Amino acid sequence: MAITPLMPVYPRSPVRPVRGEGAYLIGENGERYLDFASGIAVNLLGHGHPHLTKAIQEQAATLIHVSNLYGSPQGEALAQRLIDLTFADTVFFTNSGAEAVECAIKTARRYHHAKGNAHKHTLITFTNAFHGRTMATISATDQPKLRDGFAPLLEGFTVVEFDNLDAALAAVDDNTAGFLLEPVQGEGGIKPASQSFIKGLRQVCDEKDLMLVFDEVQCGVARTGTLYAYEQYGVEPDIMATAKGIGGGFPMGACLATEKAAAGMVIGTHGSTYGGNPLAMAAGQAVLDVVANDEFMASVRATGERLRSALEQMIPNHDQLFESVRGMGLMLGIKMKTDSRAFVTYLRERGILTVAAGDNVMRVLPPLVIEESHIREFVDGLSAAAADYEVPAAA
Ligand SMILES: *Cc1c(COP(=O)(O)O)cnc(C)c1O
């Protein structure tokens, strides 16, 4: 047999981590990597954080899973905490980001169904978006690399240009359920939407009773310097998907909604065997214990500013490679003049982990707990790598 034991859907790199220590990963043969990828914006407390580790250990020894047949004191407590911290009135827990987006899509459709408007089933979505790999979430994008070979896709999505309010408004018709977007696009290349775009979408949703659905799976949970990115836009969604950082590495997500938006999500309409189990709730609580306070958020903003300005100072020295830095908080992207994927590979060989993204961007997604020394190590390492880098011949 030629097929690999792991279904060969990933071009896996030679990095084979077996242990983590704070902002570092250690490979099978003891190699050390500075981890400015954080498992793709997941490990926001770094690796082996004592509070998260202890919470998971204690809960694992107490109660791991019971199913949603029973009452959930653990789920109620974390849901209430998220409600107190956000726009939301109610929460559905999932095991992943795509499932959180799925629940958000179902909630938006059910809202209109519950009002007797089942024809309002189409969500307007945006170019270069990424919402996950399930059938609904790939149907919500226009990207051939996600969709090829999986037809027939789901109906009910209209894709228009990101950050183009006129295009979004022009796409609204009698079948529109609402808008689904990442306020800061992640996989698409660290692109924050403009304030006027987000405000304009909110306004038309209010006027036409449409659902504004945010996918904050990547940009949420303190990554941008506020618990959720929407806070910085001064615009609240009706429905929001969160995941990645929320479990600090434990697989979990959530769909948050206002009471109004969740009007159709009554008994029997949705479910998940694992979703919200006690172990996941303990991980979520531990993450919020650390991040959900003003001091932590201020430190993410300050660290983000320092990293960004260090990168901005370095860029002119290597302007054959780097164009600019963009993003918010510690969700940063370096727009490159050469292939970002090839450079990410080169950096990795030199012991620094980052993530490539669309639009020829290299994502810089460190744990949110990094210190000055990590910034210096990263920027010095990046600068030295850039000096030595020979741009590969075009393929
Ligand atoms: C990663 C991501 C998802 C999908 O999350 P999974 O946990 O991989 O299912 C959805 N939306 C956004 C914005 C993401 O970055």
Side-chain angles (χ1 to χ4, degrees):
M1 284 223 234
I3 196 163
T4 48
L6 289 175
M7 194 180 279
V9 297
Y10 284 109
R12 289 174 189 273
S13 84
V15 177
R16 297 168 66 81
V18 291
R19 206 152 49 81
E21 290 173 3
Y24 297 90
L25 281 177
I26 293 102
E28 271 176 329
N29 303 312
E31 333 74 277
R32 254 177 113 75
Y33 300 92
L34 179 63
D35 184 8
F36 271 38
S38 302
I40 318 183
V42 169
N43 304 101
L44 39 65
L45 306 181
H47 302 284
H49 189 281
H51 185 64
L52 177 61
T53 305
K54 182 159 174 274
I56 291 173
Q57 283 172 338
E58 287 184 356
Q59 188 61 48
T62 305
L63 186 64
I64 293 178
H65 174 83
V66 296
S67 89
N68 288 304
L69 296 174
Y70 311 112
S72 175
Q74 306 86 356
E76 283 166 9
L78 185 58
Q80 188 60 53
R81 195 165 180 189
L82 287 167
I83 288 162
D84 293 343
L85 289 164
T86 67
F87 74 97
D89 303 312
T90 192
V91 179
F92 182 89
F93 288 110
T94 68
N95 315 291
S96 70
E99 285 172 88
V101 179
E102 285 271 347
C103 179
I105 293 167
K106 289 178 75 174
T107 303
R109 286 191 178 176
R110 274 298 287 203
Y111 170 75
H112 294 290
H113 172 91
K115 293 192 79 176
N117 293 319
H119 63 284
K120 292 190 177 296
H121 51 51
T122 297
L123 284 168
I124 295 170
T125 65
F126 298 92
T127 48
N128 293 312
F130 182 81
H131 298 299
R133 297 294 201 135
T134 62
M135 288 304 301
T137 55
I138 64 174
S139 302
T141 74
D142 64 346
Q143 302 204 47
K145 68 176 184 207
L146 303 177
R147 301 167 51 133
D148 269 3
F150 297 113
L153 298 174
L154 255 61
E155 291 173 45
F157 299 97
T158 301
V159 183
V160 304
E161 193 189 355
F162 183 63
D163 213 25
N164 181 336
L165 185 60
D166 292 338
L169 299 185
V172 174
D173 63 22
D174 193 43
N175 296 326
T176 303
F179 302 94
L180 165 63
L181 70 150
E182 301 157 83
V184 186
Q185 286 192 334
E187 306 294 317
I190 313 291
K191 288 185 186 157
S194 62
Q195 181 107 17
S196 57
F197 178 64
I198 300 259
K199 289 218 146 128
L201 295 182
R202 180 70 269 172
Q203 197 181 340
V204 67
C205 286
D206 291 341
E207 285 164 13
K208 302 197 179 225
D209 195 20
L210 305 177
M211 292 285 108
L212 185 59
V213 185
F214 285 168
D215 177 350
E216 291 222 23
V217 169
Q218 191 158 155
C219 61
V221 200
R223 176 60 53 187
T224 65
T226 47
L227 190 61
Y228 287 96
Y230 74 76
E231 297 165 42
Q232 294 178 59
Y233 287 93
V235 167
E236 293 188 342
D238 301 292
I239 305 169
M240 182 180 77
T242 181
K244 290 206 165 87
I246 196 169
F250 192 89
M252 69 169 291
C255 172
L256 284 68
T258 62
E259 181 168 15
K260 177 187 164 184
M265 300 305 279
V266 297
I267 287 173
T269 52
H270 198 46
S272 165
T273 299
Y274 292 132
N277 82 19
L279 188 56
M281 299 300 92
Q285 289 282 14
V287 167
L288 291 183
D289 289 343
V290 179
V291 309
N293 60 78
D294 293 343
E295 301 75 48
F296 189 86
M297 236 55 85
S299 90
V300 173
R301 290 194 291 273
T303 308
E305 278 314 308
R306 284 205 300 279
L307 176 55
R308 188 190 190 111
S309 77
L311 292 170
E312 277 166 353
Q313 275 174 39
M314 182 214 61
I315 281 179
N317 303 333
H318 304 287
D319 59 359
Q320 78 289 3
L321 284 185
F322 307 129
E323 193 172 301
S324 56
V325 188
R326 63 197 193 199
M328 287 157 64
L330 283 170
M331 185 176 183
L332 296 175
I334 302 180
K335 168 86 174 159
M336 300 207 47
K337 293 178 179 169
T338 65
D339 179 30
S340 65
R341 255 157 239 287
F343 189 69
V344 165
T345 302
Y346 181 73
L347 265 188
R348 183 209 297 145
E349 288 160 2
R350 298 174 63 118
I352 297 176
L353 305 181
T354 57
V355 200
D359 197 30
N360 226 23
V361 162
M362 176 170 78
R363 273 179 286 178
V364 180
L365 302 167
L368 305 183
V369 293
I370 53 163
E371 292 173 358
E372 196 61 40
S373 62
H374 301 114
I375 294 181
R376 215 165 311 127
E377 184 181 343
F378 178 73
V379 177
D380 289 351
L382 186 59
S383 184
D388 294 346
Y389 187 61
E390 286 173 36
V391 177

